[in-house]
Structures are given as structure tokens and as C-alpha cells.
Amino acid sequence: MTASRVLVLNSGSSSVKYQLLDMADRSRLAVGLVERIGEETSRLVHEPLTGPGAAGGRREQVGPIADHEAALKAVAAELAADGLGLDSPELAAVGHRVVHGGTKFTQPTVIDDAVLAEIRSLIPLAPLHNPANVTGIEVARHLRADIPQVAVFDTAFHSTMPEYVARYAIDAATADKYSIRRYGFHGTSHAYVSRATAALLGRPVEDVNVIVLHLGNGASASAVRGGVCVETSMGLTPLEGLVMGTRSGDLDPAVIFHLARVGGLSVDEIDSLLNKKSGLLGMCGDNDMREVLRRAGEGDDAAGVAFAAYVHRLKKYIGAYSAVLGRVDAVAFTAGVGENAHQVREAAVDGLAELGLALDLEANAVRSPQPRLVSADYARVAVAVVPTDEELEIATQAYALVTQ
């Protein structure tokens, strides 16, 4: 029997998201989430999609889960109850989402002690994410030391950006000393969606130039030429770029100095302000696009301004990346807002006819889980809605690596 299953783990500071996939047919066998790890009210939600447990549907348990090791053991127990245990000889690898790979990791990588040490050394570049990613890796290696553990990095897809794009225009020695450059994030999503868009157009990925707009609570844009990323909106951290749910996106750096000198805010307070209390939330008090749209539709001025700012930034990046690519074959919307908020797509494309963009408003208003074109028949540039699948992308990359 050929091992073809991959367990994908996305370990957060107090959560673990997981999916078990069979790469023989790219099917999902089980999905789940452990949240509030370390609290008395920890919660595990598990949904088997195949095997004897599937008929019973989703299962949920609430109670203390002390740490990530206890969480993964609980996950393993749930999978075993469905005949999908981690001790199965069909498990080929565990794929780990790792947010920051720096300049060292530009491809999926089998994790050994040296690799884990390198990932740990990158914690200063991603202090909120890499520590939790490391913890998940350590626990999974302990539970299944006999199978490959593969790190798939959010930053890797963007490592192809030219040096003049990745560099900030600051003193080069200072930038090198502190690893200051543009890394980009959401790379697994941008990689998956750019390929899926080419497939939707029925063309080889090498022949397609696409602008990918990953619009969730975090949001990023990328310019992808023939399957290769040449520009992306996020930078050293996920703060740069588009207006997001709670992040400011692009900002005059002097705002930080002003807040410190005039406002008396500490570095930590400014960090919290820009990452957790800005974006849509900061402008109107809501970071849920559904609420922003509802309020704007009812005439709420703050929500209307927040929505307009969000769309304005999107238009700026679509225009900029059209210039970078020279020829654009498609603009692809993805992630929670990009896939579901037809008003965002309509507003972002409105007025861009000179760039070859126009929507079929009726098609755009239809909700569907399937990849689809929503552009007008006469439009020079296709507009696509492509549901992202980061877990499948991680599993695909991990499986390809361990079966080479």
C-alpha cells in the first residue's frame, strides 16, 4: 500500500487547525479545529468526511486542553475513532504551515533539527506566528518521529520578487544587518489561486499574468507573471499594503514618530494600534465586511468612508500591478471577502474599463463555491472568483517533496 495521506497542521498561539487529505485523489478525509488551548473552556471541533465516523457528522467537545501536545493528542484520538489514526501506514507526511521563512527557505523543506533551529531563529521577524508554528512542529515530531515533517512557508512564493522590488530604499548595511526587506505573506494562497485561475482560463500557467487579491480579515495583493510572483503588497510584516480588517495597510512611517513624540505612545502601543485597532475596525468600529456593508447601505457615514477607503486602496493596487505586469490576463478575487462579497468586487472593478476590466453584474451577484468567471463577455481582462485552498496547497507541496 502506497502511503498517500498528508496531515496539514496550522498551529496558532492558542489554536490548531488541521485537515487530513488523501493525495491519491486530493480528497479530504477529516477537518477540525482546536481553539482556546490552555483555557478551561478549550474547544475541539472535528468533522470526519469519510470512514465509519462520517455518518455521525461533526463532533464537538469542550473542556480544558492544557497545551499543544494535549491538543494534538486529542486530534489524534478523534482521527483514530474514525479509522484515520496517525499511526496508519497510509500517512506519508505532516505538512506544517510556517508563516516566515526569511531568505533561507524558498521551497517546502523537510524538517530536521537544523531546519527547526533556523525557523526558531526567524521568530524576531514573525513574533506572533513562528513561535506557535515551532511548537506545532515539535509536538508532531514527537508524536510521529518516523515520518517526514514538512514546512511550507507563507513567504516562499514571493521569494521570486526581483531584488529591486524586495529592497526598501533605506541604508543597505542597516537593512542587511536586521534582515529588513519585503517578504510577502499568504504565499500558499497566491500560489494556489494563480494556478487555479490559469486552469479556469484553460491556459498553461506559464502563459498567464494574473493579479491575485486575497481578501480576508488580512488582505494582500500579488502580481504573478507566468506563475512567478513579481510583486506583492505585504512587506517585512503583514502590516503593509491593503486596508484590512484590523490592520492599517500602507502608512506614512512618520505617523509612528508623531504618535511617539506628540501622543506619547510606546512602541508596543503603536504596534497594537496599527495591527489590531486600525483598518476597517479603526475607521468604523467593525472589521466584519458584512457589517460594514450593512451599515454603509443604511447610510452610516463612518462605515461608508471605511468601505470607500478599502475599495480605493484595492483600485490603486490593481492599477499599479497592471503597470508592473504590462499585460494582465485576469484579476482573481479570493478568501472570505473576495469570494463572498460581490459588492466589493463590483466596487473594485467599477471605473476600470480603460484597464480592460468589466463585470457581468448578474454573474457577479451569484454565490457559488466553484471557481468562476464574473467578467463581461466583452472584457479584455477576465475577472475570476477562485476559492482558495491553502491546506490543499500545503498538502500538495509536502506530498510532492516526500515522494520525489
Side-chain angles (χ1 to χ4, degrees):
M1 181 183 299
T2 301
S4 59
R5 294 178 183 172
V6 177
L7 175 65
V8 175
L9 296 179
N10 181 354
S11 299
S13 58
S14 60
S15 67
V16 176
K17 297 177 184 178
Y18 64 93
Q19 291 194 14
L20 182 66
L21 300 97
D22 191 333
M23 300 312 295
D25 57 5
R26 297 164 67 87
S27 63
R28 281 172 177 74
L29 306 180
V31 301
L33 165 69
V34 187
E35 58 185 353
R36 300 194 291 270
I37 295 171
E39 300 181 21
E40 290 297 311
T41 57
S42 304
R43 176 171 172 260
L44 190 159
V45 178
H46 175 82
E47 184 174 4
L49 304 176
T50 190
R58 194 172 96 156
R59 304 193 294 268
E60 182 176 334
Q61 54 179 280
V62 177
I65 296 177
D67 51 29
H68 282 71
E69 182 167 6
L72 284 182
K73 286 181 176 177
V75 170
E78 291 291 337
L79 290 169
D82 300 320
L84 303 170
L86 298 189
D87 57 352
S88 168
E90 295 180 66
L91 188 63
V94 178
H96 296 268
R97 180 200 180 205
V98 179
V99 166
H100 217 305
T103 56
K104 172 79 174 181
F105 298 109
T106 61
Q107 299 290 337
T109 304
V110 174
I111 301 166
D112 57 20
D113 291 342
V115 168
L116 187 57
E118 288 276 2
I119 294 172
R120 196 177 283 112
S121 75
L122 294 168
I123 285 174
L125 291 175
L128 299 179
H129 297 96
N130 271 33
N133 301 157
V134 166
T135 299
I137 291 168
E138 290 173 335
V139 172
R141 290 182 81 200
H142 175 69
L143 291 179
R144 282 300 307 265
D146 58 316
I147 64 169
Q149 309 279 329
V150 178
V152 178
F153 300 90
D154 271 15
T155 51
F157 183 64
H158 306 302
S159 65
T160 54
M161 289 189 297
E163 190 69 3
Y164 61 83
V165 175
R167 284 274 185 178
Y168 288 109
I170 66 172
D171 174 67
T174 302
D176 291 342
K177 181 177 181 180
Y178 297 107
S179 302
I180 299 172
R181 62 188 289 116
R182 302 183 65 248
Y183 294 99
F185 298 89
H186 296 147
T188 51
S189 178
H190 287 279
Y192 177 86
V193 171
S194 58
R195 289 202 314 273
T197 302
L200 184 63
L201 297 178
R203 295 168 59 182
V205 67
E206 296 81 9
D207 294 343
V208 175
N209 293 351
V210 58
I211 297 171
V212 178
L213 301 173
H214 176 108
L215 308 179
N217 191 49
S220 60
S222 67
V224 183
R225 179 182 290 122
V228 176
C229 178
V230 296
E231 244 287 21
T232 193
S233 58
M234 288 179 167
L236 174 72
T237 75
L239 182 59
E240 188 179 356
L242 303 176
V243 175
M244 305 178 219
T246 66
R247 299 183 192 127
S248 65
D250 292 337
L251 188 78
D252 180 350
V255 171
I256 297 169
F257 313 144
H258 184 79
L259 289 171
R261 291 169 181 159
V262 179
L265 275 66
S266 69
V267 170
D268 287 343
E269 287 173 328
I270 296 171
D271 186 295
S272 177
L273 172 69
L274 298 182
N275 279 289
K276 299 178 182 178
K277 302 173 185 176
S278 295
L280 294 174
L281 180 67
M283 294 187 76
C284 73
D286 268 310
N287 65 309
D288 187 322
M289 181 57 77
R290 292 167 294 189
E291 281 300 298
V292 175
L293 287 166
R294 180 189 65 77
R295 288 173 50 193
E298 294 174 353
D300 185 296
D301 288 342
V305 171
F307 179 72
Y310 185 96
V311 170
H312 178 71
R313 192 76 57 84
L314 277 177
K315 286 177 179 285
K316 284 177 65 176
Y317 271 88
I318 292 171
Y321 287 0
S322 295
V324 167
L325 290 170
R327 187 198 82 239
V328 179
D329 299 298
V331 174
F333 289 83
T334 193
V337 173
E339 295 169 27
N340 298 306
H342 68 89
Q343 303 95 324
V344 170
R345 298 191 298 267
E346 181 177 342
V349 170
D350 183 46
L352 300 184
E354 290 296 322
L355 297 180
L357 293 161
L359 286 182
D360 178 326
L361 296 181
E362 185 175 332
N364 183 56
V366 174
R367 292 189 65 168
S368 169
Q370 300 302 318
R372 60 202 185 277
L373 295 178
V374 296
S375 41
D377 291 340
Y378 60 83
R380 187 175 76 250
V381 177
V383 179
V385 182
V386 181
T388 192
D389 198 332
E390 295 177 85
E391 290 80 13
L392 178 58
E393 180 68 19
I394 291 170
T396 299
Q397 292 190 28
Y399 188 65
L401 180 62
V402 301
T403 55
Q404 283 177 354

